[in-house]
Amino acid sequence: MAQVLEALLERNREWSAQIRAESPDYFDGLAEQQSPEFLWIGCSDSRVPANVISGLAPGEVFVHRNVANVVHSSDMNLLSVLEFAVDTLKVRQIIVCGHYGCGGVRAATEEDMPHGLADHWLEPIRRLAKRHAHELARIEDDEMRRDRLAELNVLESVARVAETPILRRAWAKGEFPLLHGLIYGIRDGVLRNLDCTISGADAR
């Protein structure tokens, strides 16, 4: 186990040295301040790193991730990140991003398989599946049905973020951010816009 950690630290040292060789002032610039354009609310899945798939550099995106990118109105972690991003960092864009092939969405649809605490966390997705049962039942392929549920989960999460007092206050002042919903395809690496952008004008 110690060898695994040491290998990780060695990769970090190599990465740091390479960055400093290419751009000697790189880390000085990062250390000065944090002023990202984006807040990213995404899934914890290790295959969906926000900076990498969006092509954004460190410092350009503030990130919150959880299992299946669920937005719970009582999640103090997410709400603290959202409040800091909007009130202090003054982000201008908020992205809720799900992905196809999401293990959390799959788990939410497996009624006969216990997943421990994850079952409580994923309860909003199960409710969402019941609410859209008629639409989902028309999709014969299991994977395509789950992928559609992943899209619906993003749309629902966007709506929940828009309802928070944090965004309502910012929008009442005529401030940003814009709120978007995206879905990522693990098989092709492409981000897709779900065309559910909400602005302060839409919320009035």
Side-chain angles (χ1 to χ4, degrees), residues 5 19 24 27 32 40 58 72 77 86-88 94 102 112 116 126 139 141 151 162 165 185 189 198 202:
L5 179 59
I19 293 293
F27 291 108
E32 286 180 4
W40 181 283
H72 283 270
N77 187 340
V86 172
D87 293 349
T88 303
I94 297 175
C102 180
D112 58 340
R126 285 195 297 277
I139 304 173
D141 182 79
E151 292 177 347
I198 302 175
D202 299 319

Side-chain angles (χ1 to χ4, degrees), residues 57-93:
E60 293 182 320
V61 57
F62 195 57
V63 179
H64 173 85
R65 297 169 71 181
N66 64 52
V67 175
N69 47 273
V70 175
V71 174
H72 283 270
S73 59
S74 59
D75 182 358
M76 293 298 106
N77 187 340
L78 184 149
L79 294 175
S80 297
V81 169
L82 180 64
E83 183 176 72
F84 186 74
V86 172
D87 293 349
T88 303
L89 298 179
K90 304 295 183 184
V91 298
R92 296 174 68 85
Q93 316 285 336

Side-chain angles (χ1 to χ4, degrees), residues 104-117:
V105 171
R106 174 189 286 271
T109 62
E110 295 174 333
E111 296 288 351
D112 58 340
M113 295 181 63
H115 303 94
L117 285 174

Side-chain angles (χ1 to χ4, degrees), residues 153-172:
N153 182 43
V154 170
L155 298 175
E156 178 74 4
S157 294
V158 166
R160 283 175 171 258
V161 172
E163 291 168 357
T164 62
I166 297 164
L167 257 67
R168 293 288 174 173
R169 284 197 305 268
W171 286 337

Side-chain angles (χ1 to χ4, degrees), residues 111-202:
E111 296 288 351
D112 58 340
M113 295 181 63
H115 303 94
L117 285 174
D119 284 328
H120 299 280
W121 179 260
L122 298 170
E123 188 268 338
I125 300 180
R126 285 195 297 277
R127 278 194 284 111
L128 195 61
K130 290 177 182 177
R131 196 189 321 156
H132 294 272
H134 185 67
E135 175 190 350
L136 294 171
R138 295 199 302 265
I139 304 173
E140 295 183 4
D141 182 79
D142 289 343
E143 184 175 357
M144 292 179 64
R145 190 184 313 114
R146 287 191 293 266
D147 285 348
R148 177 53 182 160
L149 183 55
E151 292 177 347
L152 293 170
N153 182 43
V154 170
L155 298 175
E156 178 74 4
S157 294
V158 166
R160 283 175 171 258
V161 172
E163 291 168 357
T164 62
I166 297 164
L167 257 67
R168 293 288 174 173
R169 284 197 305 268
W171 286 337
K173 299 174 188 174
E175 297 175 358
F176 278 88
L178 295 176
L179 177 57
H180 315 279
L182 305 180
I183 193 95
Y184 175 68
I186 287 178
R187 294 184 181 276
D188 61 12
V190 175
L191 282 168
R192 295 166 175 82
N193 188 352
L194 292 178
D195 296 320
C196 58
T197 295
I198 302 175
S199 68
D202 299 319

